[in-house]
Short mmCIF file of all heavy atoms in Angstrom, two decimals:
data_model
loop_
_atom_site.label_atom_id
_atom_site.label_comp_id
_atom_site.label_asym_id
_atom_site.label_seq_id
_atom_site.Cartn_x
_atom_site.Cartn_y
_atom_site.Cartn_z
N VAL A 129 3.81 65.65 245.47
CA VAL A 129 4.05 67.08 245.69
C VAL A 129 4.05 67.89 244.40
O VAL A 129 4.79 68.82 244.23
CB VAL A 129 5.30 67.36 246.50
CG1 VAL A 129 5.20 66.79 247.89
CG2 VAL A 129 6.54 66.73 245.79
N THR A 130 3.21 67.52 243.45
CA THR A 130 3.18 68.19 242.16
C THR A 130 2.73 69.67 242.27
O THR A 130 3.16 70.49 241.50
CB THR A 130 2.26 67.50 241.17
OG1 THR A 130 0.99 67.35 241.73
CG2 THR A 130 2.82 66.17 240.80
N ALA A 131 2.00 70.02 243.28
CA ALA A 131 1.54 71.36 243.52
C ALA A 131 2.36 72.12 244.60
O ALA A 131 1.94 73.08 245.14
CB ALA A 131 0.05 71.42 243.83
N PHE A 132 3.51 71.54 244.90
CA PHE A 132 4.39 72.02 245.97
C PHE A 132 4.95 73.42 245.50
O PHE A 132 5.53 73.54 244.42
CB PHE A 132 5.51 71.09 246.25
CG PHE A 132 6.49 71.56 247.29
CD1 PHE A 132 6.15 71.51 248.64
CD2 PHE A 132 7.74 71.95 246.96
CE1 PHE A 132 6.98 71.95 249.59
CE2 PHE A 132 8.64 72.34 247.93
CZ PHE A 132 8.31 72.38 249.21
N ASP A 133 4.84 74.40 246.40
CA ASP A 133 5.41 75.70 246.21
C ASP A 133 6.65 75.84 247.11
O ASP A 133 6.51 75.93 248.28
CB ASP A 133 4.44 76.83 246.51
CG ASP A 133 4.92 78.20 246.29
OD1 ASP A 133 6.11 78.38 245.81
OD2 ASP A 133 4.23 79.16 246.50
N GLU A 134 7.79 75.86 246.46
CA GLU A 134 9.06 75.89 247.28
C GLU A 134 9.25 77.16 248.07
O GLU A 134 10.13 77.25 248.97
CB GLU A 134 10.32 75.72 246.34
CG GLU A 134 10.41 76.81 245.30
CD GLU A 134 11.21 76.42 244.13
OE1 GLU A 134 11.18 75.28 243.74
OE2 GLU A 134 11.92 77.28 243.64
N LYS A 135 8.39 78.18 247.86
CA LYS A 135 8.54 79.44 248.63
C LYS A 135 7.52 79.45 249.80
O LYS A 135 7.55 80.41 250.56
CB LYS A 135 8.28 80.66 247.71
CG LYS A 135 9.38 80.78 246.68
CD LYS A 135 9.21 81.90 245.80
CE LYS A 135 10.34 81.93 244.78
NZ LYS A 135 10.13 82.84 243.73
N THR A 136 6.75 78.42 249.90
CA THR A 136 5.79 78.37 251.03
C THR A 136 6.50 77.75 252.28
O THR A 136 7.08 76.66 252.14
CB THR A 136 4.59 77.49 250.67
OG1 THR A 136 3.95 78.02 249.51
CG2 THR A 136 3.59 77.34 251.77
N PRO A 137 6.43 78.39 253.45
CA PRO A 137 7.10 77.82 254.59
C PRO A 137 6.47 76.52 255.02
O PRO A 137 5.22 76.35 254.89
CB PRO A 137 6.90 78.90 255.63
CG PRO A 137 5.95 79.94 255.11
CD PRO A 137 5.79 79.65 253.68
N ILE A 138 7.25 75.65 255.56
CA ILE A 138 6.74 74.35 256.08
C ILE A 138 7.31 74.07 257.50
O ILE A 138 8.48 74.36 257.72
CB ILE A 138 7.32 73.23 255.16
CG1 ILE A 138 6.79 73.39 253.72
CG2 ILE A 138 6.84 71.86 255.72
CD1 ILE A 138 7.30 72.40 252.76
N CYS A 139 6.40 73.60 258.34
CA CYS A 139 6.82 73.22 259.69
C CYS A 139 7.03 71.76 259.70
O CYS A 139 6.15 71.02 259.28
CB CYS A 139 5.78 73.63 260.67
SG CYS A 139 5.40 75.34 260.81
N PHE A 140 8.18 71.28 260.24
CA PHE A 140 8.47 69.90 260.28
C PHE A 140 8.28 69.36 261.67
O PHE A 140 8.24 68.09 261.86
CB PHE A 140 9.93 69.63 259.82
CG PHE A 140 10.11 69.87 258.34
CD1 PHE A 140 10.68 71.09 257.90
CD2 PHE A 140 9.69 68.97 257.37
CE1 PHE A 140 10.84 71.32 256.58
CE2 PHE A 140 9.78 69.25 256.09
CZ PHE A 140 10.41 70.35 255.62
N THR A 141 8.25 70.18 262.69
CA THR A 141 8.07 69.75 264.08
C THR A 141 6.95 70.49 264.79
O THR A 141 6.61 71.61 264.30
CB THR A 141 9.37 69.89 264.87
OG1 THR A 141 9.62 71.28 265.04
CG2 THR A 141 10.51 69.19 264.19
N ALA A 142 6.48 69.95 265.85
CA ALA A 142 5.43 70.68 266.64
C ALA A 142 6.07 71.89 267.20
O ALA A 142 5.35 72.97 267.31
CB ALA A 142 4.95 69.76 267.77
N ARG A 143 7.31 71.90 267.60
CA ARG A 143 7.98 73.08 268.15
C ARG A 143 8.02 74.22 267.12
O ARG A 143 7.71 75.39 267.43
CB ARG A 143 9.36 72.72 268.64
CG ARG A 143 10.08 73.94 269.25
CD ARG A 143 11.47 73.46 269.82
NE ARG A 143 12.40 72.99 268.82
CZ ARG A 143 13.35 73.77 268.28
NH1 ARG A 143 13.51 75.02 268.64
NH2 ARG A 143 14.12 73.31 267.33
N GLN A 144 8.36 73.89 265.86
CA GLN A 144 8.40 74.93 264.85
C GLN A 144 7.03 75.52 264.64
O GLN A 144 6.84 76.70 264.50
CB GLN A 144 8.86 74.31 263.51
CG GLN A 144 10.38 73.99 263.48
CD GLN A 144 10.67 73.26 262.17
OE1 GLN A 144 9.86 72.72 261.49
NE2 GLN A 144 11.99 73.21 261.97
N ARG A 145 6.01 74.65 264.57
CA ARG A 145 4.56 75.11 264.41
C ARG A 145 4.17 76.01 265.54
O ARG A 145 3.57 77.06 265.28
CB ARG A 145 3.68 73.89 264.29
CG ARG A 145 2.21 74.34 263.97
CD ARG A 145 1.29 73.16 263.81
NE ARG A 145 1.83 72.03 262.99
CZ ARG A 145 1.86 72.13 261.65
NH1 ARG A 145 1.46 73.09 261.00
NH2 ARG A 145 2.40 71.03 261.00
N ARG A 146 4.52 75.66 266.79
CA ARG A 146 4.16 76.46 267.94
C ARG A 146 4.78 77.84 267.88
O ARG A 146 4.08 78.86 268.08
CB ARG A 146 4.57 75.77 269.26
CG ARG A 146 4.16 76.55 270.49
CD ARG A 146 4.60 75.82 271.74
NE ARG A 146 6.00 75.40 271.79
CZ ARG A 146 7.04 76.22 272.03
NH1 ARG A 146 6.83 77.52 272.30
NH2 ARG A 146 8.31 75.84 272.03
N VAL A 147 6.04 77.91 267.58
CA VAL A 147 6.72 79.15 267.51
C VAL A 147 6.27 80.02 266.35
O VAL A 147 6.00 81.28 266.54
CB VAL A 147 8.30 78.99 267.39
CG1 VAL A 147 8.99 80.29 267.19
CG2 VAL A 147 8.79 78.32 268.68
N LEU A 148 6.00 79.47 265.24
CA LEU A 148 5.47 80.21 264.09
C LEU A 148 4.06 80.74 264.33
O LEU A 148 3.74 81.85 263.98
CB LEU A 148 5.54 79.45 262.85
CG LEU A 148 7.00 79.15 262.34
CD1 LEU A 148 6.96 78.17 261.13
CD2 LEU A 148 7.69 80.41 262.00
N GLU A 149 3.25 79.94 265.02
CA GLU A 149 1.93 80.44 265.39
C GLU A 149 2.03 81.62 266.35
O GLU A 149 1.24 82.54 266.27
CB GLU A 149 1.10 79.28 266.03
CG GLU A 149 0.60 78.26 264.94
CD GLU A 149 0.00 77.03 265.59
OE1 GLU A 149 0.04 76.81 266.82
OE2 GLU A 149 -0.57 76.22 264.83
N GLN A 150 2.98 81.51 267.29
CA GLN A 150 3.17 82.64 268.27
C GLN A 150 3.71 83.87 267.50
O GLN A 150 3.28 84.96 267.83
CB GLN A 150 4.16 82.25 269.35
CG GLN A 150 3.52 81.23 270.32
CD GLN A 150 4.57 80.79 271.35
OE1 GLN A 150 5.79 80.72 271.08
NE2 GLN A 150 4.09 80.41 272.56
N LEU A 151 4.52 83.74 266.53
CA LEU A 151 5.05 84.84 265.75
C LEU A 151 3.95 85.60 265.05
O LEU A 151 4.04 86.85 264.88
CB LEU A 151 6.10 84.37 264.67
CG LEU A 151 7.47 84.19 265.22
CD1 LEU A 151 8.32 83.46 264.16
CD2 LEU A 151 8.08 85.43 265.67
N GLN A 152 2.92 84.90 264.68
CA GLN A 152 1.80 85.60 264.03
C GLN A 152 1.04 86.58 264.98
O GLN A 152 0.42 87.53 264.51
CB GLN A 152 0.75 84.60 263.52
CG GLN A 152 1.24 83.76 262.37
CD GLN A 152 0.20 82.70 261.92
OE1 GLN A 152 -0.57 82.27 262.71
NE2 GLN A 152 0.29 82.41 260.66
N ARG A 153 1.18 86.39 266.28
CA ARG A 153 0.50 87.15 267.22
C ARG A 153 1.42 88.18 267.99
O ARG A 153 0.90 88.81 268.90
CB ARG A 153 -0.24 86.29 268.25
CG ARG A 153 -1.26 85.38 267.62
CD ARG A 153 -1.97 84.60 268.71
NE ARG A 153 -1.18 83.68 269.48
CZ ARG A 153 -0.92 82.41 269.15
NH1 ARG A 153 -1.45 81.89 268.03
NH2 ARG A 153 -0.16 81.63 269.85
N VAL A 154 2.68 88.32 267.62
CA VAL A 154 3.55 89.20 268.41
C VAL A 154 3.12 90.61 268.19
O VAL A 154 2.62 91.05 267.19
CB VAL A 154 5.06 89.04 268.01
CG1 VAL A 154 5.45 87.56 268.34
CG2 VAL A 154 5.31 89.34 266.58
N ALA A 155 3.50 91.45 269.24
CA ALA A 155 3.18 92.88 269.16
C ALA A 155 4.41 93.75 268.93
O ALA A 155 4.33 94.94 268.67
CB ALA A 155 2.50 93.28 270.50
N SER A 156 5.60 93.13 269.01
CA SER A 156 6.82 93.97 268.90
C SER A 156 7.96 93.18 268.19
O SER A 156 7.92 91.96 268.19
CB SER A 156 7.38 94.37 270.30
OG SER A 156 7.81 93.26 270.99
N ALA A 157 8.90 93.89 267.64
CA ALA A 157 10.07 93.27 267.02
C ALA A 157 10.89 92.50 267.99
O ALA A 157 11.45 91.42 267.68
CB ALA A 157 10.91 94.32 266.28
N SER A 158 10.99 93.02 269.25
CA SER A 158 11.86 92.27 270.24
C SER A 158 11.20 90.94 270.61
O SER A 158 11.85 89.94 270.87
CB SER A 158 12.02 93.13 271.48
OG SER A 158 10.87 93.45 272.13
N GLU A 159 9.86 90.93 270.68
CA GLU A 159 9.16 89.64 271.00
C GLU A 159 9.39 88.64 269.81
O GLU A 159 9.60 87.46 270.06
CB GLU A 159 7.68 89.90 271.22
CG GLU A 159 6.92 88.68 271.77
CD GLU A 159 5.46 88.98 272.04
OE1 GLU A 159 5.03 90.17 271.88
OE2 GLU A 159 4.76 88.03 272.41
N ALA A 160 9.33 89.19 268.59
CA ALA A 160 9.54 88.34 267.44
C ALA A 160 10.93 87.75 267.43
O ALA A 160 11.18 86.62 267.13
CB ALA A 160 9.28 89.10 266.16
N THR A 161 11.90 88.59 267.82
CA THR A 161 13.30 88.20 267.88
C THR A 161 13.46 87.10 268.94
O THR A 161 14.20 86.08 268.69
CB THR A 161 14.24 89.38 268.18
OG1 THR A 161 14.09 90.35 267.20
CG2 THR A 161 15.64 88.95 268.31
N SER A 162 12.87 87.20 270.05
CA SER A 162 12.97 86.25 271.15
C SER A 162 12.41 84.92 270.65
O SER A 162 13.02 83.81 270.90
CB SER A 162 12.20 86.76 272.34
OG SER A 162 12.22 85.73 273.32
N LEU A 163 11.28 84.92 270.03
CA LEU A 163 10.62 83.70 269.56
C LEU A 163 11.49 83.06 268.45
O LEU A 163 11.63 81.82 268.41
CB LEU A 163 9.20 83.96 269.05
CG LEU A 163 8.20 84.16 270.15
CD1 LEU A 163 6.88 84.69 269.54
CD2 LEU A 163 8.00 82.95 270.98
N THR A 164 12.02 83.86 267.52
CA THR A 164 12.89 83.31 266.46
C THR A 164 14.14 82.67 267.07
O THR A 164 14.54 81.60 266.61
CB THR A 164 13.24 84.48 265.50
OG1 THR A 164 12.09 85.05 264.98
CG2 THR A 164 14.06 83.91 264.37
N ASN A 165 14.73 83.32 268.05
CA ASN A 165 15.87 82.76 268.70
C ASN A 165 15.53 81.41 269.39
O ASN A 165 16.32 80.44 269.34
CB ASN A 165 16.48 83.72 269.73
CG ASN A 165 17.21 84.77 269.04
OD1 ASN A 165 17.68 84.69 267.93
ND2 ASN A 165 17.32 85.97 269.78
N GLU A 166 14.32 81.30 269.95
CA GLU A 166 13.90 80.04 270.56
C GLU A 166 13.82 78.97 269.52
O GLU A 166 14.26 77.87 269.76
CB GLU A 166 12.50 80.24 271.19
CG GLU A 166 11.98 78.96 271.84
CD GLU A 166 10.61 79.11 272.41
OE1 GLU A 166 10.14 80.22 272.63
OE2 GLU A 166 9.94 78.08 272.59
N LEU A 167 13.28 79.32 268.34
CA LEU A 167 13.14 78.31 267.29
C LEU A 167 14.58 77.86 266.82
O LEU A 167 14.85 76.70 266.60
CB LEU A 167 12.42 78.94 266.08
CG LEU A 167 12.20 78.05 264.86
CD1 LEU A 167 11.44 76.78 265.19
CD2 LEU A 167 11.56 78.81 263.78
N LEU A 168 15.49 78.85 266.64
CA LEU A 168 16.77 78.53 266.09
C LEU A 168 17.76 77.85 267.10
O LEU A 168 18.58 77.09 266.75
CB LEU A 168 17.43 79.77 265.57
CG LEU A 168 16.75 80.42 264.39
CD1 LEU A 168 17.37 81.79 264.05
CD2 LEU A 168 16.77 79.48 263.16
N GLU A 169 17.56 78.23 268.37
CA GLU A 169 18.62 77.83 269.37
C GLU A 169 17.99 76.87 270.43
O GLU A 169 18.77 76.38 271.28
CB GLU A 169 19.19 79.00 270.04
CG GLU A 169 19.93 79.88 269.05
CD GLU A 169 20.37 81.25 269.63
OE1 GLU A 169 20.20 81.47 270.85
OE2 GLU A 169 20.84 82.10 268.91
N GLY A 170 16.76 76.65 270.40
CA GLY A 170 16.09 75.90 271.43
C GLY A 170 16.54 74.38 271.34
O GLY A 170 17.10 73.92 270.37
N PRO A 171 16.12 73.60 272.37
CA PRO A 171 16.52 72.20 272.41
C PRO A 171 15.80 71.42 271.31
O PRO A 171 14.63 71.74 270.95
CB PRO A 171 15.99 71.69 273.77
CG PRO A 171 14.96 72.68 274.12
CD PRO A 171 15.35 73.98 273.50
#
């Protein structure tokens, strides 16, 4: 990891990747909040 940038986000699970991909396509702040809560509080 010699070229590792500590400020670059990393997904460790498929669930994180799915939610972050969805966040790129949101149309509103409330939708972004809902997806973020799913990532933080989901199973």
Side-chain angles (χ1 to χ4, degrees):
V129 293
T130 53
F132 179 73
D133 180 3
E134 61 201 36
K135 295 181 181 170
T136 300
I138 299 174
C139 297
F140 292 100
T141 68
R143 182 174 64 97
Q144 289 174 343
R145 184 177 316 283
R146 180 181 53 79
V147 172
L148 292 174
E149 287 171 351
Q150 289 175 330
L151 276 171
Q152 291 177 330
R153 298 186 297 270
V154 298
S156 69
S158 64
E159 188 178 357
T161 299
S162 175
L163 287 170
T164 303
N165 285 338
E166 178 184 341
L167 178 63
L168 295 173
E169 299 171 5

